[in-house]
């Protein structure tokens, strides 16, 4: 009887160890980790000092996008001024004429609208990131938007995407990262409505 009890206890012990190692969690799929939005990865809604407006605060994500937009505009203008092959001067002709005459009001509006657009479409949820501009088709159609100089081709869009990529890198987003690739995905999502010739 003594041996039988030891065997029974051993079997019970092994069985209970086996059952406890196979917990009920194995039947339930693991909750997937939610990837942070691009906006969150660029600084999110955490308030930081605005380097362009002393004494003012700005969301970190919005500041990151504004820096990239400003750098993108700078790269486009530099190529236009140097008459680089494939530059986008024809697309921004009305704006470049104004800026050449010393009027930067519409340039500031463009930078703000682009910052709104990218912030809103990459996870910026606060009211400051609301985009209220035209849709992509209307924005890039000179017949509907007199601020657009000409329609964009696939090559023009690829050139613009290159400017944004270079601007992102110049502002600390390494080109071999998931963040950079995710930004390219967002840009590619607007290729079809932007390219109209």
């Amino acid at each position: 009887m003594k041996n039988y009890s030891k065997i029974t206890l051993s079997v019970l012990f092994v069985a209970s160890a086996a059952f406890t190692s196979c917990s009920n969690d194995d039947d339930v799929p693991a909750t997937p980790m939610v990837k942070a939005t691009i906006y969150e990865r660029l600084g999110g809604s955490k308030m930081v000092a605005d380097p362009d407006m002393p004494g003012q605060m700005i969301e970190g994500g919005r500041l990151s996008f504004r820096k990239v937009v400003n750098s993108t505009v700078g790269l486009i203008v530099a190529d236009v001024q140097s008459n680089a092959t494939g530059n986008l001067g024809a697309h921004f002709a009305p704006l470049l004429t104004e800026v050449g005459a010393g009027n930067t009001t519409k340039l500031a509006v463009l930078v703000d609208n682009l910052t709104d657009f990218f912030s809103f479409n990459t996870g910026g949820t606060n009211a400051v990131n609301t985009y209220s501009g035209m849709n992509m088709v209307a924005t890039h159609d000179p017949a509907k938007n007199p601020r657009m100089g000409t329609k964009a081709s696939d090559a023009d869009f690829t050139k613009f995407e290159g400017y944004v990529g270079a601007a992102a890198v110049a502002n600390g987003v390494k080109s071999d990262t998931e963040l950079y690739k995710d930004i390219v995905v967002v840009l590619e999502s607007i290729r079809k409505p932007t390219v109209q010739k």
Side-chain angles (χ1 to χ4, degrees):
M1 183 80 163
K2 218 173 189 186
N3 275 343
Y4 182 71
S5 295
K6 286 183 181 178
I7 293 172
T8 303
L9 281 174
S10 298
V11 168
L12 286 174
F13 178 75
V14 170
S16 68
F19 283 124
T20 55
S21 68
C22 297
S23 72
N24 289 339
D25 292 345
D26 292 345
D27 297 335
V28 177
T31 304
M33 292 203 41
V34 177
K35 184 161 84 171
T37 66
I38 293 172
Y39 192 78
E40 290 168 335
R41 289 179 279 163
L42 287 173
S45 59
K46 179 182 176 192
M47 299 302 284
V48 297
D50 187 336
D52 297 339
M53 303 178 93
Q56 299 290 318
M57 301 295 280
I58 187 172
E59 289 186 358
R62 185 170 181 81
L63 176 60
S64 294
F65 272 116
R66 191 179 70 199
K67 287 178 177 180
V68 170
V69 168
N70 279 327
S71 295
T72 300
V73 169
L75 292 169
I76 291 169
V77 169
D79 268 4
V80 170
Q81 289 175 334
S82 69
N83 203 25
T85 304
N87 74 67
L88 301 180
H91 301 279
F92 297 99
L95 182 64
L96 293 169
T97 300
E98 292 168 358
V99 171
N103 181 355
T104 59
T105 304
K106 297 289 185 176
L107 175 61
V109 170
L110 175 65
V111 167
D112 198 45
N113 279 343
L114 286 171
T115 301
D116 287 343
F117 179 81
F118 286 118
S119 296
F120 177 77
N121 285 291
T122 60
T125 57
N126 291 332
V128 70
N129 298 314
T130 303
Y131 176 71
S132 58
M134 302 169 95
N135 66 50
M136 289 296 98
V137 173
T139 296
H140 295 92
D141 183 351
K144 295 177 183 164
N145 179 10
R147 310 270 324 139
M148 184 56 56
T150 187
K151 290 184 176 183
S153 67
D154 242 355
D156 296 329
F157 189 85
T158 299
K159 183 83 169 177
F160 175 74
E161 197 172 67
Y163 289 130
V164 175
V169 169
N171 285 282
V173 179
K174 294 183 180 175
S175 62
D176 61 349
T177 62
E178 183 179 23
L179 176 58
Y180 184 92
K181 291 172 188 165
D182 288 347
I183 291 169
V184 171
V185 168
V186 170
L187 289 170
E188 281 299 317
S189 75
I190 61 172
R191 179 184 289 269
K192 187 175 179 183
T194 302
V195 172
Q196 298 182 23
K197 74 173 182 182

